Amino acid sequence: MRSGCLRLLHGLLCVLLSLSRAGAWDFQPCNPWCPPNSECVNATACRCKPGFASSSVEVFTNPLVTCHACAPWCPLNSECVNATACHCKPGFASSSVEVFTNHLVTCQDINECLLPRKESCGYFADCHNVQGSYYCTCSPGFELRSGAKKFTNASENTCQDMNECSSGQHKCHRSTTCTNTEGSYSCQCRPGWEPIPGSVNGFYKEICKVMPFFTWPLPPGDHSQSLSHFFEKVNNLHRDLNSAMANDTIQGIMQEVDELLETPGDLETLPPSQKHCVVTHLLTGLEHALKNLSRGLPEGTATFNYYAGTQLSLEVQERGDGNVTLSLNQAKMQLNWNLAQESAHRGPSVVGLVSTPGMDKLLAEAPLVLEPEKQVDPYGTHEDSLLTVSPVLLSEVISVFLSRKDTQNLSSPVTFTFSHNLVTSEPKREVLCVFWDHGQNGCGHWATAGCKTLGTRDGSTTCHCTHLSSHAILMASYNVQAFFTRLLPPEVNSKSLSHFFDKVNNLHRDFKAVVAKDTIQGLMQEVDELLETPGDLETLTSSQKHNVATHLLTGLESALTHLSRGLPEGTATFNYSAGTQLSLEVQKKGICNVTLSLNQAKMQLNWNLAQESCYTGPSVVGLVSTPGMDKLLAEAPLVLEPEKQVAPHGTHKDLLPRVSSVLLSDVVSAFLSSNDTQNLSSPVTFTFSHPLVTPAPRHKVLCVFWDHSQNGSHWTTAGCRTVSTGGGSTTCHCTHLSSFAVLMVHYHVQDNDPVLDFITCVGLGVSLLCLVLAALTFLLCRAIQNTSTSLHLQLSLCLLLAHLLFLTAIDRTKPEVLCAVTAGALHYLYLASFTWMLLEGLFLFLTARNLTVLSSSSRNRLMRRLMFPVGYGVPAAIVAMSAVARPHLYGTPARCWLRPEQGFMWGFLGPVCAISCVNMVFFLMTLCIVKSKLSSINRDVSTLQNTRVLTFKAMAHLFILGCTWCLGVLQVGSLAPVMAYLFTIVNSLQGVFIFLVYCLLSQQVQEQYRTWLKRIRKWTTESESYTLSSKAVSDTSRPSTTD
């Protein structure tokens, strides 16, 4: 107990001692130097208050340490959140969380110009990233409307195109012109300049040079010293060209041109066409050179005069207004300044006028091509058929140039006033404003298109032109050709024709454009009267009548074609007392089809056929009926096309039918304004009315036209097809235009030889009997039934049917459909006969081969597979293709057989010739095999006999349907009658040959015939015995009678 108390006292004592020590510590004094936002720990240490941090340890004794409210360790481009955390500044981001306490985290710049945080700057602007931000600028070639350089978003975007050309910020060379584009610009060579070699036009560093002033105008190999000298001088000017000396260069060029035209030297010895080429190149070269060089002149008006009369007047203006007038000694030009200015060109504009009076030395005999309207207006004529023009140059040749490129389609006309010599007014002369058209060949001609003569008076002519080139004034003398030429040779006299010529010449002499209709009526009236009362024309020979008809038809067609252009647009019809009629239509732009009708004829065609591709004037379609022309066309010959010469009756080419024709319809002439009427793109349809025609085997209605060739005039069918005829009307299709009519043609075909007809009938009759017997033999004779016999049987049946059909229906041409079916059936049966002959030849060849190679069983299997598909299928295929291709060529008017036109006969002759050739090959191969077999066999009688029989069959096979038909091909020349008889005899007896070779000469068939005869005799004997015995029994059984 005493020890426990001691332990308790000891614990109490320890507690008291501890408490006394703690009280002594708490009452020690604080450190007086602790910094703001901190508190003392003891007399020597401090620490930062909650929410603040020091830059060193938590409890510090260094008086220099401070306590901060933010973390002092925040990285670059960041800011503190509190004493222990930081976050990145705007425009920067950390790779971890947004607020971080890790001292190792860094803040990186955000690229606002890239996805996914791409900022939009708007159109025509670019985004630029900077540290912690971005800004926008306009794309190159664009600028802000305010003039500022930067902006921050799309709402502030006012970017617009910057015109580098007008602001002077381009880098184009002075030899080029600047063209502004959206956001950029391009540098192009100035007009008349070209890029130097190795430089591409359009790039900023492009440098250009002046193009050569003139190009060599003569063909290779042609030389001219004067022209060569001129080119040397001009090339020197071009070589020394300096933009600052444009005036001197222009003067130098004009001086050289003036000297060349004053003394052209050997240029005058050139042919006219080459002179015209020189003129073309001089005028175009001078125009281009002056246009380009004049841009380097100062603004204002300049005039240059030269010794030989050459003049140049030009005006250069940056911005012209109103009208501009340039005057020379003999010419003046007035135009609106807007015509000279180019919309995209900012440099000065140029208008120039050049007079070259010496150019007339090179323009001698220059042709004149009139406008389509002017070809009609002066005298109602067209081109060179009725009108020839002789032009004379009245004024100086002037050339006009503008700074604009397109001078061919001006918005307003340019007015020219020319001074020239006084002109005496005459009916067939006219003053024309013309220009020099370079043409496609580069040699040029005078033309009137686009230039209008306003008036001429007192040696002055005013013109309006809607394009610019080289212009002049011409005096055009028109020489109208006569409507009709002399129709007969000088030694032939005809009062009626002379009277006709006098009247027509009066019409020609008094012809004027305004009375074109009266001239047409007068011309038609004279033709009508001549045909109504031809007078002594009827006493002329047939050939002379045909000559008159030819000249009347061609002259009338030509005159009406060109005179009709002077008529107003629309349709016109003219009728005359003798039945002559004219119907025509004049249209500026026709469409679809046009139909012209007369009393007895009608024509329909597509309007496009009448329009000329290069002609802008009115187009004409006309139809003339001249029923009285038949008086001059009596006994006119008819020349048939080669197909139609044979087609009516399928006769041989040496027995062509003689043809006589009768004119059924009126003679009509068709004419178009188009020059080419011989090869029309679509057919013209004619419908003729004529008397009813009674159908006859040797009569045919044909559409014909009057052909006036070098070999004489005649009716012909070439290019005209008879579409249909019936009920007094015939429709024709023609692919050219001329004078047409409908003829009734009678074919005089040589009658058939009665002897040949008799031989044919008798021979075919006997052949039919033999073929029937042969077929029965092949069917009933069991001893010979094999593959060979089957081939003989099919051949016999085909020939039997073919001969029977030929004998009974070859001449039955009505109705035509039945005749065509008969022709197709004959085509098939004869082809089938030849095909079975081909199989016979193949079988004979295989039989010969069997002697050495093939077995009989394999040969028979092959033939059974080929026999019927080839024998009947191949001919059927050939006939089917022929019928589908040209069904109308089955049947002729006289025979139910194939027509020879369009090579249709080769649908039969081709296979026949091919089969005959193949059979010949089989025959020769069979003979070779048999010959080798005969030389190698022993004296076995059966083998020798079989080989000889095989040889005989091969020769007979070749003869039956091979050599017999060859005789038909040989019916030519003097041997034709003999060959005709031989052909008829051997072909009509084909059935006899088959029965003879394959039946009567066959030992097995002979034995079968003997057996049949014995049976027949036995049957006959038994029948007679039976009859006699029956009679005897009857007699004995009859009751007796007594008197």
Side-chain angles (χ1 to χ4, degrees):
M1 180 177 179
R2 185 179 178 180
S3 60
C5 289
L6 290 173
R7 286 193 294 269
L8 178 62
L9 291 173
H10 182 266
L12 291 173
L13 182 60
C14 290
V15 170
L16 290 174
L17 289 174
S18 300
L19 291 173
S20 64
R21 289 177 180 174
W25 179 267
D26 291 336
F27 286 103
Q28 291 179 355
C30 286
N31 190 354
W33 51 263
C34 287
N37 302 320
S38 67
E39 57 186 10
C40 67
V41 176
N42 52 38
T44 59
C46 303
R47 63 181 173 189
C48 293
K49 293 180 179 180
F52 296 89
S54 69
S55 57
S56 58
V57 295
E58 182 179 359
V59 178
F60 52 91
T61 59
N62 188 351
L64 298 180
V65 174
T66 60
C67 291
H68 302 279
C70 287
W73 51 264
C74 288
L76 184 65
N77 301 323
S78 69
E79 54 188 12
C80 67
V81 177
N82 52 41
T84 59
C86 305
H87 69 84
C88 293
K89 293 180 180 179
F92 298 89
S94 67
S95 58
S96 60
V97 294
E98 183 177 357
V99 178
F100 52 91
T101 58
N102 190 346
H103 291 214
L104 300 179
V105 174
T106 59
C107 291
Q108 302 294 330
D109 175 56
I110 298 173
N111 192 337
E112 292 86 355
C113 298
L114 297 179
L115 293 174
R117 297 190 58 182
K118 182 177 181 179
E119 298 290 339
S120 173
C121 290
Y123 294 106
F124 310 122
D126 300 322
C127 177
H128 302 273
N129 184 64
V130 295
Q131 284 291 319
S133 184
Y134 73 97
Y135 66 91
C136 300
T137 61
C138 293
S139 300
F142 296 88
E143 61 184 355
L144 288 172
R145 190 176 298 124
S146 63
K149 300 298 182 181
K150 299 179 181 180
F151 58 97
T152 57
N153 52 58
S155 63
E156 300 176 5
N157 186 342
T158 59
C159 293
Q160 61 184 7
D161 177 55
M162 178 194 301
N163 193 330
E164 296 89 349
C165 298
S166 61
S167 63
Q169 298 182 27
H170 64 85
K171 299 179 181 179
C172 293
H173 190 264
R174 56 187 177 85
S175 63
T176 64
T177 59
C178 175
T179 302
N180 184 61
T181 60
E182 188 175 57
S184 184
Y185 65 94
S186 64
C187 304
Q188 303 287 340
C189 289
R190 286 162 39 184
W193 295 59
E194 61 183 357
I196 62 172
S199 179
V200 181
N201 197 17
F203 281 76
Y204 301 151
K205 297 183 179 180
E206 174 63 37
I207 301 177
C208 303
K209 64 178 181 179
V210 180
M211 296 174 61
F213 296 142
F214 298 92
T215 57
W216 184 256
L218 296 180
D222 292 341
H223 301 284
S224 168
Q225 291 184 356
S226 300
L227 207 57
S228 298
H229 187 58
F230 169 78
F231 265 86
E232 289 177 4
K233 293 184 177 180
V234 170
N235 286 335
N236 292 334
L237 292 173
H238 177 266
R239 190 179 305 112
D240 302 332
L241 176 64
N242 189 331
S243 58
M245 300 177 62
N247 190 11
D248 296 337
T249 305
I250 291 174
Q251 295 234 30
I253 291 177
M254 293 297 298
Q255 182 66 42
E256 297 304 330
V257 171
D258 184 72
E259 292 179 1
L260 177 67
L261 296 179
E262 183 183 14
T263 56
D266 55 2
L267 284 180
E268 293 186 294
T269 63
L270 296 175
S273 62
Q274 291 188 4
K275 288 182 183 178
H276 303 158
C277 287
V278 172
V279 168
T280 298
H281 285 74
L282 284 177
L283 291 174
T284 55
L286 185 61
E287 175 186 339
H288 291 307
L290 293 176
K291 178 197 302 185
N292 299 318
L293 291 172
S294 299
R295 293 177 185 269
L297 297 178
E299 292 190 33
T301 303
T303 302
F304 305 90
N305 296 278
Y306 300 92
Y307 178 76
T310 303
Q311 286 183 292
L312 167 63
S313 178
L314 54 86
E315 184 166 344
V316 183
Q317 294 291 341
E318 183 74 28
R319 286 293 172 186
D321 189 18
N323 292 331
V324 58
T325 301
L326 296 180
S327 298
L328 301 175
N329 291 341
Q330 302 295 322
K332 184 173 68 173
M333 176 183 71
Q334 186 178 19
L335 78 162
N336 190 290
W337 188 262
N338 292 332
L339 297 179
Q341 294 174 336
E342 293 185 279
S343 58
H345 181 67
R346 297 185 177 276
S349 298
V350 179
V351 177
L353 185 64
V354 182
S355 173
T356 51
M359 199 70 72
D360 59 351
K361 300 174 184 177
L362 301 178
L363 288 173
E365 303 178 23
L368 169 62
V369 176
L370 295 174
E371 267 186 295
E373 290 80 2
K374 288 188 172 65
Q375 291 169 352
V376 180
D377 290 345
Y379 301 100
T381 54
H382 177 60
E383 293 186 355
D384 57 355
S385 53
L386 289 178
L387 175 70
T388 58
V389 183
S390 302
V392 176
L393 188 61
L394 290 180
S395 70
E396 297 176 357
V397 179
I398 64 169
S399 298
V400 185
F401 58 90
L402 301 179
S403 51
R404 68 179 294 168
K405 294 179 180 179
D406 182 15
T407 60
Q408 298 306 306
N409 297 285
L410 302 179
S411 57
S412 60
V414 179
T415 303
F416 295 95
T417 304
F418 292 87
S419 298
H420 52 78
N421 296 328
L422 287 173
V423 177
T424 304
S425 177
E426 294 185 15
K428 294 184 180 180
R429 288 185 178 180
E430 186 175 13
V431 174
L432 295 177
C433 294
V434 296
F435 75 99
W436 186 251
D437 188 355
H438 306 159
Q440 294 182 351
N441 60 358
C443 288
H445 56 264
W446 292 116
T448 58
C451 285
K452 180 182 179 183
T453 306
L454 298 182
T456 181
R457 183 179 180 183
D458 298 332
S460 177
T461 299
T462 303
C463 312
H464 270 181
C465 295
T466 56
H467 60 83
L468 295 183
S469 179
S470 298
H471 302 266
I473 299 296
L474 294 183
M475 168 66 78
S477 299
Y478 297 91
N479 302 313
V480 183
Q481 297 181 5
F483 296 142
F484 295 93
T485 58
R486 178 71 182 175
L487 307 185
L488 293 175
E491 63 273 10
V492 178
N493 295 317
S494 170
K495 292 183 179 179
S496 299
L497 208 55
S498 299
H499 187 58
F500 170 77
F501 266 102
D502 291 339
K503 293 183 177 181
V504 170
N505 287 334
N506 291 335
L507 291 173
H508 171 263
R509 188 179 307 110
D510 301 333
F511 174 64
K512 294 180 181 178
V514 293
V515 293
K517 182 176 180 181
D518 296 338
T519 304
I520 291 174
Q521 292 217 9
L523 187 62
M524 292 296 297
Q525 182 67 42
E526 297 305 328
V527 172
D528 182 72
E529 292 178 0
L530 177 66
L531 296 178
E532 183 180 16
T533 55
D536 55 1
L537 284 180
E538 294 186 296
T539 63
L540 300 176
T541 63
S542 296
S543 61
Q544 291 175 348
K545 289 180 183 179
H546 302 161
N547 189 15
V548 172
T550 296
H551 284 75
L552 282 176
L553 291 172
T554 55
L556 187 62
E557 175 187 341
S558 177
L560 292 176
T561 299
H562 301 99
L563 291 173
S564 300
R565 293 178 183 267
L567 297 178
E569 291 191 33
T571 303
T573 302
F574 305 90
N575 297 278
Y576 301 93
S577 59
T580 303
Q581 286 183 293
L582 166 63
S583 179
L584 53 85
E585 184 163 347
V586 182
Q587 293 292 342
K588 184 76 172 179
K589 288 293 181 182
I591 57 174
C592 299
N593 293 330
V594 58
T595 301
L596 297 181
S597 298
L598 303 175
N599 290 341
Q600 302 296 321
K602 183 172 68 173
M603 177 180 71
Q604 186 177 19
L605 77 162
N606 190 290
W607 188 263
N608 292 331
L609 299 179
Q611 294 175 332
E612 295 180 276
S613 58
C614 298
Y615 181 67
T616 58
S619 298
V620 179
V621 177
L623 187 64
V624 183
S625 175
T626 51
M629 197 67 70
D630 59 350
K631 300 173 185 177
L632 300 177
L633 293 175
E635 303 179 14
L638 169 62
V639 177
L640 295 173
E641 288 181 279
E643 294 81 1
K644 291 187 174 65
Q645 291 176 344
V646 185
H649 304 286
T651 54
H652 193 271
K653 63 181 179 179
D654 288 338
L655 301 173
L656 289 177
R658 292 179 292 106
V659 177
S660 60
S661 58
V662 176
L663 188 61
L664 288 180
S665 69
D666 294 346
V667 179
V668 299
S669 299
F671 58 89
L672 302 177
S673 51
S674 174
N675 289 331
D676 184 14
T677 59
Q678 299 307 306
N679 297 285
L680 302 179
S681 57
S682 59
V684 179
T685 302
F686 294 94
T687 303
F688 293 88
S689 299
H690 52 76
L692 287 172
V693 177
T694 303
R698 295 182 181 177
H699 288 174
K700 191 170 185 180
V701 175
L702 294 180
C703 296
V704 295
F705 79 96
W706 187 249
D707 187 4
H708 38 84
S709 61
Q710 296 180 352
N711 299 326
S713 301
H714 54 266
W715 293 114
T716 183
T717 58
C720 285
R721 180 170 65 90
T722 306
V723 178
S724 62
T725 183
S729 176
T730 298
T731 302
C732 313
H733 276 179
C734 297
T735 56
H736 58 82
L737 292 184
S738 179
S739 298
F740 300 88
V742 174
L743 297 183
M744 167 65 80
V745 180
H746 178 68
Y747 295 89
H748 303 277
V749 184
Q750 182 179 358
D751 293 332
N752 294 335
D753 190 342
V755 178
L756 289 178
D757 289 343
F758 177 77
I759 293 174
T760 300
C761 292
V762 173
L764 289 180
V766 175
S767 287
L768 288 174
L769 177 61
C770 292
L771 287 171
V772 170
L773 293 175
L776 291 174
T777 301
F778 298 145
L779 284 172
L780 301 177
C781 185
R782 295 182 178 179
I784 62 172
Q785 286 185 354
N786 51 32
T787 304
S788 178
T789 305
S790 298
L791 293 172
H792 301 336
L793 175 61
Q794 303 305 321
L795 172 62
S796 300
L797 291 176
C798 289
L799 280 178
L800 174 65
L801 294 175
H803 288 344
L804 182 62
L805 189 61
F806 183 88
L807 196 60
T808 57
I810 189 67
D811 293 327
R812 297 186 178 182
T813 59
K814 299 296 180 181
E816 294 183 358
V817 175
L818 182 60
C819 180
V821 173
T822 301
L826 286 173
H827 187 195
Y828 174 75
L829 290 172
Y830 279 120
L831 280 182
S833 301
F834 274 94
T835 307
W836 284 110
M837 284 299 297
L838 174 64
L839 294 174
E840 289 257 16
L842 176 62
F843 184 77
L844 284 175
F845 170 70
L846 294 178
T847 302
R849 292 278 293 171
N850 180 50
L851 298 175
T852 57
V853 180
L854 290 175
S855 65
S856 177
S857 60
S858 63
R859 179 192 67 201
N860 291 335
R861 282 198 304 272
L862 178 62
M863 291 307 300
R864 290 193 193 99
R865 293 176 182 175
L866 292 176
M867 192 163 60
F868 287 100
V870 174
Y872 290 112
V874 172
I878 296 174
V879 174
M881 288 188 291
S882 301
V884 170
R886 295 183 178 89
H888 61 282
L889 295 181
Y890 276 109
T892 69
R895 299 286 186 273
C896 295
W897 185 232
L898 280 64
R899 292 176 180 263
E901 55 258 33
Q902 300 181 22
F904 191 66
M905 186 64 74
W906 284 102
F908 175 72
L909 294 179
V912 166
C913 294
I915 291 173
S916 299
C917 294
V918 173
N919 271 347
M920 177 63 73
V921 174
F922 284 155
F923 170 71
L924 295 176
M925 295 173 67
T926 301
L927 286 184
C928 291
I929 294 173
V930 169
K931 181 179 179 181
S932 62
K933 186 65 179 176
L934 287 174
S935 62
S936 61
I937 62 174
N938 53 22
R939 294 192 177 186
D940 185 353
V941 176
S942 62
T943 304
L944 182 61
Q945 185 177 3
N946 289 338
T947 306
R948 290 175 176 174
V949 170
L950 188 64
T951 304
F952 172 74
K953 285 186 176 182
M955 297 179 65
H957 166 76
L958 181 68
F959 174 76
I960 291 174
L961 277 181
C963 297
T964 55
W965 281 84
C966 292
L967 296 174
V969 183
L970 299 177
Q971 294 184 40
V972 292
S974 58
L975 294 178
V978 177
M979 292 301 172
Y981 276 93
L982 290 177
F983 176 77
T984 303
I985 293 171
V986 296
N987 275 279
S988 61
L989 295 177
Q990 285 174 344
V992 178
F993 296 148
I994 290 176
F995 181 67
L996 177 65
V997 172
Y998 296 119
C999 295
L1000 295 182
L1001 297 181
S1002 174
Q1003 185 176 359
Q1004 292 176 318
V1005 174
Q1006 291 176 5
E1007 292 177 356
Q1008 186 66 47
Y1009 283 167
R1010 292 191 190 98
T1011 302
W1012 287 345
L1013 288 174
K1014 288 179 181 179
R1015 291 178 181 177
I1016 292 173
R1017 288 174 182 174
K1018 181 179 179 181
W1019 179 80
T1020 303
T1021 303
E1022 291 176 352
S1023 177
E1024 290 177 353
S1025 300
Y1026 176 77
T1027 302
L1028 291 174
S1029 61
S1030 299
K1031 186 177 181 181
V1033 171
S1034 176
D1035 290 340
T1036 55
S1037 62
R1038 184 182 301 169
S1040 61
T1041 58
T1042 58
D1043 294 335

